[in-house]
C-alpha cells in the first residue's frame, strides 16, 4: 500500500484491539488486605500512607477501604461491626454490604504479609494507569488541533505521573521514596533555574502540591547539604573514595585543591588585592614567598560584587595581569548572588576553573531572607563545598571580621569551610601602616595557627611576603628548611627519603627529619607515607609531565659548591646566583660506587652503567658536596625564575668581612649574613628587639640581628665607650644610659648605675 510515491509503513504499527482482555488486577490480594484490616485494626497503619482507594480494581473494595481510612483518621477501630455501621448509614438502600463484609472476614488469614500484598495491588494499579495514559495519548496523537509543544508537555506530564508512582513495599520505604522524590525536585529547582523569580514560583507550586511551606522546603534542602553521610566503608572502598593519600595543592602550603577557603578581614586591609595576587601566582606557576605553585596556566573565575569593573581592571593591570592572562585564564562576573547558583554551576561545567573567588559573602547573600547570625545564612557555602568536590575546584570566599578580629556572623560560616584565613594590620610598635599579618586560623590540610608577615604596596597594590612570624628565630633551622625547599624546587616530582636528603645536603639525620616534618606539616612539600616504608618527600608539578619545561629532565639545576682553584681566595656563591641547568653526565659528576650505599628504602643509587642507560636522569644524578657544618649546607641557588635562563651566567664570588664591628641596621641597607654566607638587603625591621626581613638574591628571609655583619655598603655607627645614649626600644625604652663596653655580642650599657645584661645594637640607641 502506498500514499503517493511513498510506501505506507503499515507493517510497523499494530492497531489490534485488546478490549477482550481483563485489565491487570489481583483480586485475591485486595480481598486479603480488606479482610486483614477488618480483623486487625492496627494493620491499616502499615499501608495507609501509600495504598489509596483508587488502587483497588473492585469498586466495592475501594469503598470499604475508604471508610476504613476515615475511621483510622478519627482514631476509631476498623473492626467488622464499626465498618458495617458506617457503611449502612451512608448507603441505607444496599442490603448486601453485610454479606460482602462477612465474606471478606472469612477470607482473611493473616496480616503479616499485608505490606507485600499492598505492593502487588499498587503495581497492578500502575499498569492500569499506564494503559489509560497511553490510550489517551493514542487518541491525542490523532488530534491535529493540539499544538506540538502542548502535545509534548501533556505527554511528559502524563507519563511522569505514572512512572513516579510509589510502589514501595513498606511504610518506611514509602517515606524514603517521598523524601527522595521531593529532594530531587528541590535540587533540580535550586541548581537549574537561573531566574530567582521563576525559582520562587516553582518552589511555591511544589509546596502547594505537597501541602508544605516554602520555608520548610528551604530547610529540607539545607539539611540535605549538611547531613550527608556515606555507608559503612570497607578498606578497599575507602581507598577508592580517597583517591590519592597525599594532599594536592594549587599553591603548596596555602591553597589546597578541591576545598573551600574563607578569607576574613576588616575593610581597607587589602583582602581583595591579596586574592588577585594569589590568582596571578597560580596562573603563572610561580611562588608567593615560601608557597610554591604546583602548576601554571590555571583557570580562575572571579565573582566580583564589592568592586566596580573599573577598579578591578585597574587592580589587575597594576598587579601585572597581561591581556593574554585575562583572555585565556580569567573569567569575571559582576552582580552574582547565591540566588543565581545555577549560573555558577553552568560556569563550572563550561569554563572548568581551578580557582573560584567569591567577593564577597555579604554580597552573595544580599537577597537572603536570613541574618548573618542564623545557620541558614551559610547555605551557599555548603553548596560550594559540594561543588568543590564535584568539579575539583577551590573556592575562596571573602568575608569581613567582627570587632574582635574573628569571622563575622554565625559560627556555621566558619564550620562550613575547610580553611579560614584572617588578614589584619600589624599593630606592633615597629610596624608600618602597610604591614599585614596573614593568619592560618583553621586548616584541614596543614598546621593551623601560623602567622605570616606581609607588606602591602599602595603603589602597585601588591603584597610582599616577609616570612613567618615567630617568637624566636633560629637561623640554622630556617637555613635548613630553605635549602630543602630550594632542593625540591630544582627536582620537582622526584621523591626522596629523609636519609637521602641528609646524605645529599650534609645535614644530620635528626635535623633533616625535623625540618622535613615541619615543611610537610605546613604543606610546603608533599609527604607520601606508606606502612612499613620510609616516608617519601617531594614537590609536585602538574603540567602533564613529571619534569616541566622550566625544569627539563636532562637539565636539572644542581645545588653544589663551586670548585675553586687551589691558589684562589676562599669564597662562597652569592645566594642570588643560579647555575644554568648543567647537563648531567656520568663524566661530569662521577659517583664513587665504593662509598655510595643505600641510606633508606627508596634510595636508588644506581651504577654507572644504569646512569648511561637512563633516558631520564633520576635523583641519583644529582651531586652534592656535604658541608663541614652539618647544620648549615652550602648556599642554594634561587629557583624562582621560570623558563629558559638564556645562557650561562657568570658566577660571582664574595669574601666574608673580617671585622667584628657591629652594624648600624637601617632599612634598604646592605649587610653580610653569617648563616647564609652572602650579602642581604634589609627590607623591613620586623621586630626592633630581634629580627629583620631581608632579601637574599631573589629570596625573602628573616634573620637575627646577631646574624648580620657590616660590609662595605653598610652604614657605620659612631658609638664609643662612655658615650651617653637613649634606649629606643624594649622595657628600658626612653631611659638614659652610658656605654660600658662594645664587642661582637653587642653594646652593653649601664643604666641607673646598674649593668643591663642584655646587649643592644646601634640602631636601638640614640647618641645624646
Amino acid at each position: 500500500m502506498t500514499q503517493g510515491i511513498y510506501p505506507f509503513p503499515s507493517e510497523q504499527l499494530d492497531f489490534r484491539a485488546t478490549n477482550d482482555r481483563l485489565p491487570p488486577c489481583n483480586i485475591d490480594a485486595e480481598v486479603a488486605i480488606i479482610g486483614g484490616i477488618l480483623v486487625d485494626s492496627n494493620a491499616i497503619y502499615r499501608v495507609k500512607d501509600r495504598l489509596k482507594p483508587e488502587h483497588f480494581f473492585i469498586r466495592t473494595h475501594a469503598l470499604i477501604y475508604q471508610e476504613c481510612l476515615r475511621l483510622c483518621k478519627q482514631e476509631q477501630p476498623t473492626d467488622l461491626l464499626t465498618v458495617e455501621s458506617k457503611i449502612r448509614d451512608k448507603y441505607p438502600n444496599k442490603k448486601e454490604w453485610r454479606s460482602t463484609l462477612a465474606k471478606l472476614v472469612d477470607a482473611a488469614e493473616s496480616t503479616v504479609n499485608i505490606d507485600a500484598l499492598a505492593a502487588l495491588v499498587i503495581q497492578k494499579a500502575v499498569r492500569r494507569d499506564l494503559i489509560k495514559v497511553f490510550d489517551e495519548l493514542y487518541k491525542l496523537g490523532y488530534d491535529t488541533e493540539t499544538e506540538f509543544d502542548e502535545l509534548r508537555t501533556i505527554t511528559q506530564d502524563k507519563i511522569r505521573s505514572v512512572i513516579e508512582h510509589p510502589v514501595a513495599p513498606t511504610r518506611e520505604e514509602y517515606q524514603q521514596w517521598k523524601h527522595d522524590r521531593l529532594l530531587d525536585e528541590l535540587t533540580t529547582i535550586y541548581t537549574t533555574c537561573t531566574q530567582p523569580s521563576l525559582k520562587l514560583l516553582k518552589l511555591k507550586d511544589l509546596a502547594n502540591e505537597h501541602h508544605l511551606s516554602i520555608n520548610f522546603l528551604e530547610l529540607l534542602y539545607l539539611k540535605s547539604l549538611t547531613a550527608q553521610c556515606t555507608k559503612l566503608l570497607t578498606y578497599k572502598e575507602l581507598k577508592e573514595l580517597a583517591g590519592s593519600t597525599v594532599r594536592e595543592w594549587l599553591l603548596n602550603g596555602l591553597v589546597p585543591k578541591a576545598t573551600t577557603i574563607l578569607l576574613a578581614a576588616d575593610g581597607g586591609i587589602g583582602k581583595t588585592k591579596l586574592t588577585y595576587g594569589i590568582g596571578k601566582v597560580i596562573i603563572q606557576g610561580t611562588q608567593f614567598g615560601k608557597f610554591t605553585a604546583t602548576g601554571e596556566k590555571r583557570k580562575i573565575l572571579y565573582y566580583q560584587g564589592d568592586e566596580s569593573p573599573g577598579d578591578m581592571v585597574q587592580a589587575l593591570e597594576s598587579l601585572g595581569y597581561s591581556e593574554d592572562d585575562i583572555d585565556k585564564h580569567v573569567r569575571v562576573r559582576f552582580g552574582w548572588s547565591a540566588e543565581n547558583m545555577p549560573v555558577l554551576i553552568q560556569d563550572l561545567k563550561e569554563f572548568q576553573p581551578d580557582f573560584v573567588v567569591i567577593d564577597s559573602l555579604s554580597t552573595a547573600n544580599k537577597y537572603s531572607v536570613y541574618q548573618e547570625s542564623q545557620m541558614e545564612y551559610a547555605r551557599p557555602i555548603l553548596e560550594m563545598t559540594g561543588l568543590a568536590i564535584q568539579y575539583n575546584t577551590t573556592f575562596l570566599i571573602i568575608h569581613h571580621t567582627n570587632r574582635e578580629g574573628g569571622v563575622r556572623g554565625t559560627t556555621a560560616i566558619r564550620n562550613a569551610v575547610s580553611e579560614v584565613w584572617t588578614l589584619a594590620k600589624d599593630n606592633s610598635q615597629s610596624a608600618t601602616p602597610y604591614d599585614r599579618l596573614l593568619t592560618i586560623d583553621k586548616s584541614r590540610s596543614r598546621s593551623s595557627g601560623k602567622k605570616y608577615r606581609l607588606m602591602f604596596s599602595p603603589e602597585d597594590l601588591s603584597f610582599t611576603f616577609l616570612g613567618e612570624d615567630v617568637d624566636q628565630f633560629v637561623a640554622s633551622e630556617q637555613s635548613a628548611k630553605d635549602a630543602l625547599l630550594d632542593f625540591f624546587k630544582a627536582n620537582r616530582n622526584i621523591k626522596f627519603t629523609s636519609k637521602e636528603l641528609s646524605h645529599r645536603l650534609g645535614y644530620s639525620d635528626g635535623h633533616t627529619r625535623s625540618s622535613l616534618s615541619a615543611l610537610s606539616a605546613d604543606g610546603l612539600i608533599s609527604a607520601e607515607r606508606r606502612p612499613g616504608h620510609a616516608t617519601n618527600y617531594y614537590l609536585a608539578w602538574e603540567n602533564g609531565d613529571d619534569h616541566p619545561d622550566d625544569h627539563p629532565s636532562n637539565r636539572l639545576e644542581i645545588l653544589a659548591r663551586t670548585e675553586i682553584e687551589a691558589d684562589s681566595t676562599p669564597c662562597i656563591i652569592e645566594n642570588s646566583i643560579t647555575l644554568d641547568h648543567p647537563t648531567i653526565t656520568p663524566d661530569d659528576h662521577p659517583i664513587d660506587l665504593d662509598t655510595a650505599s643505600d641510606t633508606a628504602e627508596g634510595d636508588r643509587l644506581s651504577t654507572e652503567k644504569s646512569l648511561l642507560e637512563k633516558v631520564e636522569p633520576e635523583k641519583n644524578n644529582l651531586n652534592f658536596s656535604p658541608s663541614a657544618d652539618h647544620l648549615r649546607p652550602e648556599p642554594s641557588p634561587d629557583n624562582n625564575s621560570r623558563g629558559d635562563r638564556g645562557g650561562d651566567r657568570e658566577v660571582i664570588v664574595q669574601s666574608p668581612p673580617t671585622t667584628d664591628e657591629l652594624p648600624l641596621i637601617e632599612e634598604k641597607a646592605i649587610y653580610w649574613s653569617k648563616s647564609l654566607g652572602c650579602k642581604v638587603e634589609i627590607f623591613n625591621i620586623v621586630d626592633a628587639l630581634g629580627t629583620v626581613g631581608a632579601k637574599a638574591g631573589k629570596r625573602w628571609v628573616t634573620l637575627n640581628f646577631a646574624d648580620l655583619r657590616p660590609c662595605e655598603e653598610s652604614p657605620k655607627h659612631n658609638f664609643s665607650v662612655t658615650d651617653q645614649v637613649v634606649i629606643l626600644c624594649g622595657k628600658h625604652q626612653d631611659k638614659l644610659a652610658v656605654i660600658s663596653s662594645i664587642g661582637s655580642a653587642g653594646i652593653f650599657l649601664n643604666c641607673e648605675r646598674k649593668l643591663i645584661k642584655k646587649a643592644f645594637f646601634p640602631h636601638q640607641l640614640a647618641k645624646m
Side-chain angles (χ1 to χ4, degrees):
M1 180 179 179
T2 60
Q3 185 177 14
I5 61 174
Y6 299 103
F8 186 77
S10 59
E11 69 279 5
Q12 298 180 11
L13 300 175
D14 186 3
F15 294 99
R16 289 177 297 177
T18 58
N19 296 333
D20 57 335
R21 299 173 60 183
L22 185 68
C25 62
N26 193 324
I27 298 176
D28 293 337
E30 294 182 9
V31 170
I33 291 172
I34 300 298
I37 293 174
L38 294 174
V39 173
D40 183 2
S41 296
N42 293 323
I44 193 171
Y45 291 98
R46 295 164 55 185
V47 297
K48 71 180 184 66
D49 290 328
R50 64 189 189 283
L51 184 62
K52 306 301 179 185
E54 57 266 25
H55 291 154
F56 289 88
F57 179 68
I58 304 299
R59 184 173 180 273
T60 302
H61 296 163
L63 293 175
I64 296 173
Y65 181 71
Q66 188 171 17
E67 291 303 320
C68 292
L69 288 177
R70 290 194 180 100
L71 290 172
C72 178
K73 187 175 182 180
Q74 297 170 4
E75 298 183 355
Q76 297 184 27
T78 59
D79 59 90
L80 176 60
L81 294 178
T82 306
V83 174
E84 181 187 358
S85 174
K86 291 291 183 181
I87 292 179
R88 188 169 58 248
D89 294 340
K90 184 171 289 188
Y91 305 101
N93 296 327
K94 294 187 178 183
K95 306 298 182 181
E96 69 273 10
W97 283 109
R98 183 176 181 83
S99 61
T100 302
L101 292 172
K103 291 178 182 179
L104 292 173
V105 171
D106 292 339
E109 296 179 358
S110 173
T111 60
V112 173
N113 62 341
I114 193 171
D115 300 299
L117 294 175
L120 290 176
V121 172
I122 293 173
Q123 290 174 9
K124 296 299 182 181
V126 170
R127 291 179 180 272
R128 294 195 301 271
D129 289 341
L130 191 63
I131 294 173
K132 180 182 178 182
V133 166
F134 278 101
D135 183 60
E136 294 175 355
L137 295 178
Y138 173 81
K139 297 175 181 178
L140 194 62
Y142 284 100
D143 185 4
T144 57
E145 295 182 359
T146 304
E147 295 292 336
F148 182 71
D149 291 339
E150 184 182 357
L151 176 65
R152 291 184 58 185
T153 302
I154 295 175
T155 303
Q156 291 174 354
D157 292 342
K158 287 185 175 294
I159 294 178
R160 182 183 177 189
S161 66
V162 176
I163 64 177
E164 292 189 354
H165 204 286
V167 293
T170 65
R171 179 183 179 185
E172 289 74 15
E173 291 178 350
Y174 169 74
Q175 289 178 335
Q176 184 66 48
W177 170 87
K178 185 176 180 181
H179 166 272
D180 294 343
R181 178 190 174 190
L182 184 58
L183 194 57
D184 286 343
E185 293 181 357
L186 277 174
T187 303
T188 301
I189 292 174
Y190 276 106
T191 59
T192 62
C193 187
T194 58
Q195 295 178 260
S197 57
L198 180 59
K199 181 175 71 174
L200 180 62
L201 179 60
K202 289 187 175 184
L203 287 175
K204 179 63 176 176
D205 291 342
L206 185 62
N208 293 338
E209 178 185 350
H210 292 273
H211 306 289
L212 301 170
S213 66
I214 295 180
N215 289 339
F216 177 83
L217 294 180
E218 290 185 342
L219 183 60
L220 178 66
Y221 185 63
L222 176 63
K223 291 293 184 181
S224 71
L225 298 174
T226 58
Q228 295 179 356
C229 179
T230 67
K231 67 174 184 178
L232 289 175
L233 301 176
T234 64
Y235 180 73
K236 181 179 179 181
E237 291 171 335
L238 176 61
K239 292 281 288 183
E240 292 176 354
L241 181 65
S244 173
T245 57
V246 181
R247 163 59 71 182
E248 296 181 334
W249 301 84
L250 293 176
L251 201 60
N252 267 104
L254 192 63
V255 184
K257 272 189 174 183
T259 191
T260 48
I261 304 169
L262 188 74
L263 172 58
D266 199 359
I269 297 298
K271 50 188 179 294
T272 300
K273 305 305 183 293
L274 175 63
T275 305
Y276 291 159
I278 292 174
K280 182 172 180 289
V281 170
I282 292 175
I283 292 174
Q284 294 184 336
T286 53
Q287 66 184 60
F288 179 59
K290 297 182 181 300
F291 306 121
T292 308
T294 59
E296 58 185 353
K297 300 178 181 178
R298 308 279 196 184
K299 293 182 179 180
I300 300 180
L301 184 63
Y302 288 114
Y303 275 15
Q304 184 53 259
D306 285 4
E307 280 193 339
S308 66
D311 291 339
M312 185 176 186
V313 170
Q314 181 182 2
L316 295 180
E317 291 179 349
S318 298
L319 288 168
Y321 279 76
S322 66
E323 184 176 342
D324 184 66
D325 288 339
I326 299 177
D327 286 343
K328 294 182 179 179
H329 309 300
V330 176
R331 292 291 183 273
V332 182
R333 275 193 189 274
F334 288 90
W336 181 85
S337 71
E339 298 297 318
N340 302 114
M341 192 62 69
V343 174
L344 172 60
I345 296 174
Q346 182 179 353
D347 288 344
L348 293 175
K349 291 178 180 178
E350 296 178 357
F351 186 53
Q352 299 180 355
D354 301 284
F355 191 50
V356 179
V357 176
I358 309 294
D359 189 8
S360 62
L361 180 60
S362 301
T363 305
N365 271 338
K366 58 186 175 182
Y367 300 119
S368 176
V369 297
Y370 303 103
Q371 302 296 321
E372 280 188 348
S373 57
Q374 295 178 285
M375 182 190 71
E376 291 82 358
Y377 191 84
R379 192 194 72 195
I381 303 179
L382 295 172
E383 292 180 284
M384 293 177 201
T385 301
L387 294 174
I389 298 173
Q390 181 178 355
Y391 294 97
N392 194 31
T393 188
T394 296
F395 285 86
L396 189 148
I397 306 162
I398 297 177
H399 194 38
H400 300 279
T401 54
N402 53 30
R403 294 180 179 178
E404 291 74 27
V407 177
R408 198 175 72 186
T410 173
T411 55
I413 296 175
R414 175 184 170 88
N415 296 337
V417 297
S418 299
E419 318 284 321
V420 176
W421 306 347
T422 57
L423 184 66
K425 287 185 177 181
D426 184 0
N427 295 320
S428 61
Q429 294 181 352
S430 59
T432 69
Y434 304 112
D435 285 332
R436 303 287 187 267
L437 286 176
L438 177 65
T439 303
I440 309 299
D441 191 42
K442 167 192 170 182
S443 177
R444 295 174 181 168
S445 307
R446 50 153 295 165
S447 57
S448 303
K450 294 292 186 70
K451 294 184 178 181
Y452 299 94
R453 292 188 175 274
L454 312 175
M455 175 168 282
F456 176 66
S457 172
E459 297 179 359
D460 58 6
L461 307 180
S462 65
F463 278 86
T464 302
F465 185 90
L466 300 180
E468 184 179 346
D469 182 43
V470 292
D471 295 334
Q472 292 183 348
F473 180 83
V474 181
S476 61
E477 291 183 0
Q478 190 61 40
S479 177
K481 293 178 183 178
D482 291 343
L484 286 167
L485 282 177
D486 287 338
F487 176 75
F488 283 118
K489 291 173 190 174
N491 303 281
R492 297 290 188 92
N493 288 336
I494 303 179
K495 300 174 182 178
F496 298 88
T497 65
S498 62
K499 284 187 174 293
E500 287 179 293
L501 295 167
S502 173
H503 174 74
R504 296 175 187 278
L505 272 69
Y507 289 97
S508 66
D509 291 346
H511 192 65
T512 303
R513 281 195 301 271
S514 63
S515 298
L516 289 170
S517 178
L519 290 174
S520 62
D522 289 341
L524 298 175
I525 58 175
S526 297
E528 182 184 67
R529 295 177 173 85
R530 298 176 298 162
H533 296 78
T535 301
N536 286 322
Y537 300 93
Y538 65 99
L539 193 60
W541 182 267
E542 303 172 5
N543 268 25
D545 301 324
D546 283 347
H547 300 278
D549 294 337
D550 60 338
H551 295 290
S553 58
N554 61 340
R555 299 174 62 203
L556 294 174
E557 290 189 66
I558 295 182
L559 309 178
R561 179 192 295 269
T562 303
E563 298 296 335
I564 307 301
E565 296 294 335
D567 57 349
S568 62
T569 305
C571 62
I572 302 175
I573 302 176
E574 186 180 11
N575 202 28
S576 61
I577 302 302
T578 304
L579 301 180
D580 180 37
H581 305 283
T583 301
I584 302 174
T585 63
D587 295 334
D588 294 336
H589 299 284
I591 296 178
D592 189 350
L593 299 178
D594 295 330
T595 59
S597 61
D598 288 343
T599 55
E601 178 70 23
D603 188 4
R604 300 180 290 273
L605 287 177
S606 57
T607 61
E608 182 176 1
K609 180 180 178 180
S610 65
L611 283 173
L612 293 172
E613 293 174 350
K614 291 281 186 183
V615 177
E616 176 182 323
E618 295 185 358
K619 57 189 176 185
N620 306 288
N621 301 64
L622 307 176
N623 184 25
F624 289 87
S625 300
S627 172
D629 183 358
H630 73 284
L631 289 180
R632 196 179 69 209
E634 300 306 322
S636 305
D638 186 87
N639 194 38
N640 191 35
S641 58
R642 310 196 60 78
D644 189 4
R645 267 70 174 176
D648 296 334
R649 295 177 182 266
E650 178 184 0
V651 177
I652 302 176
V653 296
Q654 296 179 341
S655 299
T658 58
T659 178
D660 283 335
E661 182 184 358
L662 294 174
L664 178 60
I665 298 177
E666 293 181 355
E667 294 182 357
K668 307 301 182 182
I670 306 297
Y671 301 87
W672 179 269
S673 170
K674 292 173 60 180
S675 63
L676 299 178
C678 65
K679 291 181 180 180
V680 297
E681 180 183 1
I682 302 301
F683 183 82
N684 183 35
I685 299 178
V686 178
D687 182 356
L689 297 177
T691 57
V692 296
K695 185 177 181 182
K698 296 181 180 179
R699 281 195 306 151
W700 296 96
V701 295
T702 308
L703 300 173
N704 267 344
F705 293 155
D707 186 59
L708 302 176
R709 287 293 178 267
C711 55
E712 297 172 355
E713 298 90 342
S714 305
K716 303 299 189 295
H717 70 81
N718 59 348
F719 292 104
S720 58
V721 178
T722 70
D723 283 346
Q724 290 185 338
V725 294
V726 175
I727 303 174
L728 302 178
C729 60
K731 66 178 181 179
H732 300 286
Q733 185 174 354
D734 297 331
K735 290 185 178 181
L736 295 176
V738 177
I739 298 177
S740 61
S741 63
I742 301 177
S744 59
I747 300 175
F748 289 90
L749 305 174
N750 281 321
C751 182
E752 298 177 352
R753 298 183 180 181
K754 293 181 180 179
L755 177 65
I756 300 177
K757 295 182 179 180
K758 178 185 179 300
F760 291 85
F761 280 80
H763 74 284
Q764 299 171 336
L765 307 173
K767 192 173 182 181
M768 293 293 295

